Amino acid sequence: MGACLGACSLLSCASCLCGSAPCILCACCPASRNSTVSRLIFTVFLFLGVLVSIIMLSPGVESQLYKLPWVCEDGVGTPVGLQGHIDCGSLLGYRAVYRMSFATAAFFFLFTLLMICVRSSRDPRAAIQNGFWFFKFLVLVGITVGAFYIPDGSFSNIWFYFGVVGSFLFILIQLVLFIDFAHSWNQRWLGKAEERDSRAWYAGLFFFTLLFYALSIAGVTLLFVFYARPGACHEGKVFISLNLTFCVCVSIIAVLPKVQEAQPNSGLLQASVVTLYTIFVTWLALSNVPDQKCNPHLLTHLSNGTFLAGPEGYETHWWDAPSIVGLVVFILCTFFISVRSSDHQQVNSLMQTEDSPPMLEATQQQQVACEGRAFDNEQDGVTYSYSFFHFCLVLASLHIMMTLTNWYKPGETRKMVSTWTAVWVKIGASWAGLLLYLWTLVAPLLLPNRDFS
């Protein structure tokens, strides 16, 4: 951990000595917006925490983690090597990830409180948001070091439920981002089709819409094959069937004449993206079902070194397919939060951002580029809510914690056990996401006196 933090410190010093966001990207992106640069650097801070968490899951790190006070105690402060059939070292990476997540969440929550009601870059607090990067990195390192000396006690169990709530909310934020991305994509390609009078753009939209629906159908088929065995797994069958039905319903609603009249840019591309994401979340939920017959990801470690499915003794399978795909989706969505600028009015309202800000005049951009600095585009007003952005990173910290630990929590026997809590949270998030998308479709019809343009 020390080597990793030392390398990160050198990287921070190399890139952040200027002290403010306008000079961070002076060499590679001289015409970047100040608001975008700041969000990117904060996201890099989060990704550094994710990198440390991944390193903590490496077997070679366990020997060093044994030296910390919270590892493998039997309740009276006495370290133990084995608990039942499970090596106590298998829990070290899990607890280290929890502490790293606590550090990053605490860091961003501090900025969430600090940046409440910042209206423009003229606010003195905006200088803290957009500058002092080296000192902010030192604060993050200090919080991280302190977090690794938190006694275990009930910390892991309590922080698990913080992670459950935060991950639920971040799953919804991911869906909002996917809706925004699909909306921008659809609007851009339709605009090019009209400008160039070419059917190729329409064909492209049709192809990707068909592709997303085909992937969704393939996903549902695989879910029934692997997570809904005949004569068992009734919960899984119900979850898959319900979500498939809901996805068909919202897809039909998206192309109804009255919805199209109220929202001309609404279409099957957005509905196909929502459908695919819903099937993905359903897969994540079923991968946490605590029943080996209905969950191929649960494995049992026997004394002879073999792995078999069974009712007792199964342990965490860290890098299974749901964890890897979930990590990739998390990285893409978090990066999109940092660079997005949208003209989708309802999404901007949900994400606490403004419409796409106009660029500086050509002469001003050329002058800024010659000076080798990013320009301040928030003198008249911020383009995003500083506080809400940091709150999204708090939720992202909690979500990646749950993703890396595969939503497992230590049971009474100090084994990593899967719970129905994770299943219901993810299924509930998929339903809430579908309701949220349905609201974006029908809101102009239900509230005709409100401007949704």
Side-chain angles (χ1 to χ4, degrees), residues 256-271:
L256 290 177
K258 286 190 174 296
V259 174
Q260 289 287 304
E261 181 181 352
Q263 297 198 72
N265 292 320
S266 172
L268 286 178
L269 178 63
Q270 296 94 317

Side-chain angles (χ1 to χ4, degrees), residues 168-409:
F168 174 87
L169 296 176
F170 192 77
I171 289 174
L172 296 183
I173 290 177
Q174 285 182 331
L175 178 62
V176 171
L177 294 174
F178 278 120
I179 295 174
D180 181 33
F181 174 75
H183 171 83
S184 301
W185 181 7
N186 182 70
Q187 191 173 36
R188 188 176 296 111
W189 280 28
L190 287 178
K192 289 183 178 181
E194 294 177 358
E195 291 175 4
R196 303 179 184 182
D197 193 20
S198 173
R199 295 185 178 180
W201 298 103
Y202 294 112
L205 289 175
F206 175 78
F207 169 77
F208 282 103
T209 300
L210 188 63
L211 175 63
F212 294 151
Y213 275 122
L215 291 175
S216 300
I217 294 174
V220 170
T221 303
L222 293 175
L223 290 180
F224 273 113
V225 171
F226 291 101
Y227 298 91
R229 302 276 180 90
C233 312
H234 302 294
E235 297 88 351
K237 295 175 183 177
V238 171
F239 292 150
I240 299 170
S241 301
L242 280 178
N243 279 0
L244 177 61
T245 303
F246 293 155
C247 289
V248 172
C249 291
V250 297
S251 297
I252 294 174
I253 294 174
V255 293
L256 290 177
K258 286 190 174 296
V259 174
Q260 289 287 304
E261 181 181 352
Q263 297 198 72
N265 292 320
S266 172
L268 286 178
L269 178 63
Q270 296 94 317
S272 66
V273 171
V274 171
T275 298
L276 183 59
Y277 182 72
T278 301
I279 300 304
F280 166 69
V281 175
T282 306
W283 175 43
L284 295 182
L286 296 179
S287 68
N288 286 110
V289 172
D291 184 351
Q292 285 79 6
K293 294 181 181 179
C294 307
N295 186 356
H297 300 289
L298 295 182
L299 300 175
T300 297
H301 188 192
L302 302 181
S303 57
N304 59 4
T306 60
F307 287 85
L308 294 173
E312 298 292 341
Y314 58 83
E315 61 183 15
T316 305
H317 194 166
W318 294 111
W319 293 109
D320 55 9
S323 297
I324 295 174
V325 177
L327 178 61
V328 172
V329 172
F330 163 82
I331 292 175
L332 293 176
C333 289
T334 307
F335 180 76
F336 188 56
I337 291 176
S338 303
V339 300
R340 70 176 294 276
S341 58
S342 173
D343 54 4
H344 193 294
Q345 196 72 17
Q346 297 179 62
V347 172
N348 285 332
S349 178
L350 290 170
M351 295 297 295
Q352 296 293 299
T353 54
E354 302 295 335
D355 292 345
S356 302
M359 294 292 290
L360 294 178
E361 297 294 332
T363 55
Q364 292 176 318
Q365 289 192 29
Q366 184 176 3
Q367 179 181 359
V368 170
C370 293
E371 293 176 355
R373 297 173 65 88
F375 58 85
D376 183 3
N377 62 322
E378 298 182 308
Q379 293 182 356
D380 297 328
V382 295
T383 58
Y384 67 101
S385 169
Y386 290 176
S387 182
F388 186 78
F389 169 72
H390 288 293
F391 182 67
C392 287
L393 294 187
V394 172
L395 300 180
S397 301
L398 297 172
H399 178 71
I400 194 59
M401 175 187 77
M402 305 305 291
T403 299
L404 291 178
T405 59
N406 208 9
W407 287 72
Y408 285 83
K409 62 176 293 188

Side-chain angles (χ1 to χ4, degrees), residues 26-53:
C26 55
C28 56
C29 300
S32 298
R33 296 185 180 97
N34 189 22
S35 58
T36 302
V37 174
S38 297
R39 284 181 287 178
L40 283 174
I41 298 176
F42 276 115
T43 303
V44 169
F45 281 7
L46 175 62
F47 286 165
L48 288 176
V50 174
L51 178 61
V52 173
S53 297

